[in-house]
Amino acid sequence: MKDRFLSYAGPYRELMAYYRCAMMEVEAKFKVLSEELSLQYDHNPIETIKTRLKRPESIIEKVSKKDLPLTVESLENGINDIAGVRVICSFVSDIYMLADALLKQDDITLIGRKDYIKEPKPNGYRSLHLIVEIPIFLHDHKRLMKVEVQLRTIAMDWWASSEHKIRYKKDLPVKVLEEIDKELLECAMIGAQLDKKMEQIQKSVMDKSAK
Ligand code: 0O2
C-alpha cells in the first residue's frame, strides 16, 4: 500500500504544496483580524495561531479508515483536515466572534461545522471545528482548497494536547484506561468551568470600565 502511495509522489507533493498555500492564506486572514481587533478591543482575542499539515502516516490511516482509494483525487475529495489551522483564543466568546468574522469574508465558503464546545465529545474534548474552502491564486490559475480551522481557548488546548500525550499509550489494561478517561473527563470539566469563570471576570471588568 505504501509503495503504491509513493508512486504518486509528484502529484502528492504538489497537492501538499497547495495545502500549505491554503494554510498560509487562512493564517494571514487571522493575523489581519488579530491586528485589527487588538486596536478595537482592549485585549487581543488571538493568543496563538498554529498551522499543521497532516503527516503521511496519519493520511494513510484515515484513507484506510474511510475505505477510500489511495489516489490524490480521493485524498482531496475525501479528507477535509489535511491542512489545519489552530487558533487559540483568550475567551470562549472570542472563538465565536472570530469564526463569524472569518465566515463573513466573501472568498471563504463554509463546508462543515462541528461545535464541540456546545456539544463536547464524550471524553470531554472541546473546540469549534470549521471546514472552509479558500481560493489560492497560482501563477496561471485559481484553485479552491479545504482547510480545517480549529478554534479553542487556552484551557481547551491545554487539555487536548495533554490528553493526546496521555492517551497515546493505548496498550494499558482496560480498567486502567477507563480510570484515566474518567479523570481526563473531570479535567475537561474543570477546564470548562475555568473558561466560564474567566469570561465572567472579563465581562464584569468591561462593564465596570464602561461606567
Ligand atoms: P491530527 O494529529 O490533528 O491530524 P472527519 O474529519 O469528519 O472524518 P474526524 O477526523 O473524527 O472526522 O473529525 P473530528 O472529530 O472533527 O476531529 C478531528 C481532529 O480534531 C483531530 O485530528 C484532532 O486534532 C482533534 N480532536 C478530535 N477529537 C479529539 C480528542 O478526543 N482529543 C484530542 N486531543 N483531539 C481531538 P486527528 O486526525 O485525530 O489528528
Side-chain angles (χ1 to χ4, degrees):
M1 194 183 195
K2 212 164 179 174
D3 289 347
R4 233 182 92 218
F5 189 74
L6 287 173
S7 73
Y8 292 109
Y12 176 80
R13 266 206 300 270
E14 200 178 338
L15 182 66
M16 293 304 128
Y18 295 151
Y19 277 122
R20 273 195 296 276
C21 297
M23 286 191 303
M24 283 186 235
E25 294 283 357
V26 174
E27 186 182 21
K29 282 183 179 294
F30 280 111
K31 283 186 172 168
V32 169
L33 286 171
S34 169
E35 193 72 30
E36 187 229 350
L37 292 167
S38 58
L39 295 174
Q40 257 186 43
Y41 283 65
D42 61 327
H43 72 273
N44 186 339
I46 299 179
E47 288 286 333
T48 344
I49 308 171
K50 298 175 196 166
T51 59
R52 77 100 182 82
L53 200 61
K54 213 171 182 63
R55 288 176 302 111
E57 296 83 349
S58 207
I59 293 177
I60 295 178
E61 212 176 283
K62 202 152 193 178
V63 162
S64 30
K65 205 172 99 186
K66 290 192 159 197
D67 215 10
L68 294 170
L70 198 51
T71 65
V72 167
E73 292 74 33
S74 88
L75 295 190
E76 196 171 0
N77 298 326
I79 302 183
N80 291 334
D81 66 342
I82 293 181
V85 175
R86 189 169 287 160
V87 183
I88 318 296
C89 303
S90 317
F91 304 103
V92 176
S93 56
D94 293 334
I95 292 178
Y96 293 104
M97 182 266 291
L98 285 165
D100 286 348
L102 177 76
L103 296 174
K104 257 195 251 156
Q105 302 189 8
D106 56 17
D107 54 350
I108 289 277
T109 307
L110 179 67
I111 304 289
R113 177 188 181 112
K114 286 186 194 166
D115 192 341
Y116 295 124
I117 301 173
K118 294 221 163 75
E119 281 180 58
K121 284 198 166 182
N123 63 354
Y125 176 79
R126 293 182 306 136
S127 284
L128 176 66
H129 290 193
L130 307 173
I131 305 293
V132 297
E133 200 167 55
I134 186 167
I136 55 165
F137 295 90
L138 303 163
H139 78 286
D140 58 355
H141 68 289
K142 177 173 103 172
R143 216 172 184 291
L144 291 173
M145 303 299 299
K146 278 184 266 179
V147 176
E148 182 187 66
V149 180
Q150 296 183 347
L151 296 120
R152 37 169 93 151
T153 61
I154 302 165
M156 293 175 199
D157 190 52
W158 182 43
W159 184 92
S161 71
S162 308
E163 186 261 5
H164 188 72
K165 283 170 201 153
I166 295 167
R167 217 39 191 81
Y168 192 70
K169 270 204 152 301
K170 293 187 178 84
D171 53 350
L172 292 168
V174 180
K175 216 136 186 64
V176 179
L177 282 176
E178 278 173 4
E179 194 49 44
I180 290 169
D181 287 347
K182 210 175 115 214
E183 294 195 87
L184 283 170
L185 180 60
E186 259 173 56
C187 291
M189 282 151 81
I190 295 169
Q193 280 164 14
L194 280 177
D195 275 335
K196 206 169 158 194
K197 188 81 192 155
M198 285 294 183
E199 184 101 40
Q200 283 166 354
I201 299 171
Q202 151 79 355
K203 194 173 174 309
S204 104
V205 168
M206 293 292 284
D207 290 348
K208 285 191 179 98
S209 62
K211 280 174 192 158

